Amino acid sequence: MGSPQTIEEAKTQINDIAQKIDQEERGKTFISKIDQAINNAKPNDNLKPKAIMFQGGGIVPGAGTLGDEMLKTTGFENVASQYSNSAYNVLTLENLLFNPPQIILSDAKFNNGRVISHPALKKAKVSIYAANFPSKYLNCAGSKLVPALNRLAQIRGEYLQKKANHAQ
């Protein structure tokens, strides 16, 4: 059993595990919670802030990954796929300079502040909103899916609110 690359694959895996350990009802309940989190996290507007999920070692999940689907589900555009056609890419300073995301989602322990405060980005007047998105949300597609979707929806809301406040 591999790592799920979509929310549906994660739900299938939860169901399979629940059946294997004779916990079908708990599996159904958990899948229901995931479906509820998806419904709650879906935006009610057409805005698509450009974002990336920055992981340790500069890795960013691109198209065809669970991270990509979570971003899309919660109303973001995942710009990692613009850097490369690979499922997982390495984020370079050049990418940030010439095609910066509006938002970088990263575990605070990876010190994304150091990345986005690079002197070259400051000189080029590149501004990126940094939000804490714990790496554990990408490490376990089962138990962490609900809090991951909730956190992404929260970050999106905070970013759009901050953007609206600056426009006034």
Side-chain angles (χ1 to χ4, degrees):
M1 188 174 282
S3 295
Q5 296 303 307
T6 66
I7 293 171
E8 279 307 310
E9 285 179 15
K11 292 183 338 183
T12 298
Q13 196 173 79
I14 290 164
N15 187 56
D16 292 347
I17 292 168
Q19 287 180 2
K20 184 80 170 169
I21 63 172
D22 200 27
Q23 295 290 322
E24 289 90 352
E25 284 307 309
R26 286 181 70 187
K28 287 178 185 176
T29 299
F30 190 60
I31 290 169
S32 176
K33 288 179 183 179
I34 292 170
D35 290 337
Q36 184 64 45
I38 291 167
N39 288 333
N40 292 341
K42 282 186 179 175
N44 51 7
D45 59 46
N46 292 323
L47 303 174
K48 299 225 180 280
K50 295 179 178 187
I52 55 169
M53 292 177 161
F54 181 77
Q55 298 176 282
I59 303 297
V60 292
T65 64
L66 183 61
D68 180 57
E69 185 173 1
M70 287 192 299
L71 284 171
K72 290 176 181 174
T73 297
T74 55
F76 292 97
E77 177 187 345
N78 184 7
V79 296
S81 59
Q82 295 174 13
Y83 305 146
S84 168
N85 291 331
S86 301
Y88 291 92
N89 311 299
V90 175
L91 180 66
T92 66
L93 179 60
E94 292 80 7
N95 294 139
L96 290 177
L97 271 169
F98 293 104
N99 190 15
Q102 294 168 297
I103 304 166
I104 188 168
L105 306 155
S106 176
D107 198 315
K109 70 181 180 186
F110 294 138
N111 196 10
N112 62 20
R114 192 184 84 210
V115 173
I116 64 173
S117 63
H118 191 282
L121 296 175
K122 284 184 179 180
K123 194 164 191 112
K125 295 185 171 68
V126 173
S127 177
I128 302 170
Y129 180 80
N132 185 37
F133 186 76
S135 59
K136 67 183 179 184
Y137 291 162
L138 292 172
N139 294 340
C140 181
S143 65
K144 303 302 181 204
L145 198 49
V146 170
L149 292 167
N150 292 341
R151 179 67 181 129
L152 287 170
Q154 178 187 18
I155 291 167
R156 185 179 183 278
E158 289 169 355
Y159 170 76
L160 291 175
Q161 184 62 50
K162 183 176 179 180
K163 188 175 172 184
N165 290 344
H166 278 95
Q168 296 175 354

